[in-house]
Amino acid sequence: MKRFILASNSPRRITLLGSLGYHFDIIPHNIQESCVQNDALPIELVQYLAYQKANDVARRVNDAIIISADTVVFYEKSILGKPKNASDAKRMLLMLSNSEHDIVSGVCIMDMPSKKKILRTDRTYIKMRYIAEEEIEMYIKSGEPMDKAGAYAVQGEGRKFIEKMEGSYTNAIGLPLELIKEMINDLVKDENT
């Protein structure tokens, strides 16, 4: 069995992948995610970034299966990445208050040395309740929104703002586990045929 590599040092992604029971190494990518463009289509963007992350790590390993992902919040034709600062987090949360959005993740599984890859996306629908400005300010003071796409964490205190969720919970956190298992099985199946 080949070793697995997670191309991320995100604590959330490390914990999620670990919950599948896979043994894996962590080699963080060196790709700048700040290239989020509001006019890009979310599926194209997350697939592009997931591939770039896997490809970056692939340059440093010889024999492994690399797992990478990118996640964005997609709201009214705009892509919301991680907030730049507290006022940006507040702007995002005011936008998302009492509205609907999607959390879109791109996943790349790449085999080395063959460079055979599988790229797929997952989408989770979220309906937010009305969030009072005071609640937003208190939430920002907690620090939780600052490294999260869309400025909130589904698995943290941000869950209290969610009225309804449809789709993969782990995708909403940033690593769609059901999809990853399916992709790894497909990659291994392809190699054995």
Side-chain angles (χ1 to χ4, degrees):
M1 186 79 173
K2 283 193 173 186
R3 75 173 174 144
F4 288 101
I5 293 172
L6 177 64
S8 172
N9 58 5
S10 158
R12 295 174 301 283
R13 288 188 174 137
I14 292 167
T15 301
L16 284 168
L17 189 60
S19 74
L20 287 179
Y22 295 128
H23 295 286
F24 59 94
D25 296 321
I26 299 160
I27 302 179
H29 64 84
N30 295 316
I31 300 298
Q32 293 298 318
E33 297 176 51
S34 57
C35 64
V36 173
Q37 299 169 353
N38 279 355
D39 60 346
L41 294 173
I43 290 172
E44 290 174 1
L45 178 70
V46 294
Q47 283 190 347
Y48 171 78
L49 287 172
Y51 170 72
Q52 291 299 322
K53 291 173 183 183
N55 200 42
D56 177 66
V57 171
R59 293 184 190 119
R60 294 176 264 154
V61 298
N62 294 323
D63 192 27
I65 292 175
I66 301 162
I67 301 166
S68 65
D70 191 73
T71 302
V72 296
V73 170
F74 187 59
Y75 169 76
E76 289 190 357
K77 299 184 181 178
S78 292
I79 291 170
L80 305 181
K82 296 172 184 174
K84 297 178 188 86
N85 51 40
S87 63
D88 195 32
K90 183 176 180 178
R91 175 189 66 82
M92 288 184 194
L93 289 165
L94 285 169
M95 241 193 310
L96 297 176
S97 173
N98 200 35
S99 68
E100 302 167 1
H101 62 274
D102 291 310
I103 299 174
V104 183
S105 292
V107 177
C108 182
I109 309 280
M110 183 181 289
D111 176 69
M112 287 303 288
S114 73
K115 277 211 161 190
K116 185 184 289 183
K117 70 179 185 314
I118 299 177
L119 265 173
R120 294 196 186 139
T121 55
D122 205 349
R123 185 182 288 246
T124 304
Y125 161 85
I126 304 281
K127 167 77 171 85
M128 290 282 215
R129 67 167 174 80
Y130 169 77
I131 314 167
E133 199 166 332
E134 305 78 53
E135 284 183 284
I136 289 173
E137 286 169 3
M138 282 182 59
Y139 182 54
I140 290 169
K141 282 181 185 166
S142 76
E144 186 176 89
M146 299 319 296
D147 67 338
K148 314 291 187 301
Y152 76 98
V154 168
Q155 75 282 13
E157 286 300 306
R159 71 180 168 272
K160 65 187 174 191
F161 305 137
I162 297 171
E163 192 174 291
K164 183 178 179 184
M165 179 189 299
E166 291 175 5
S168 168
Y169 172 72
T170 59
N171 176 61
I173 299 173
L175 198 65
L177 296 183
E178 305 86 353
L179 181 64
I180 285 177
K181 284 197 296 192
E182 178 186 300
M183 291 170 72
I184 289 171
N185 288 339
D186 288 351
L187 187 73
V188 171
K189 200 184 326 173
D190 282 354
E191 288 182 350
N192 292 334
T193 55

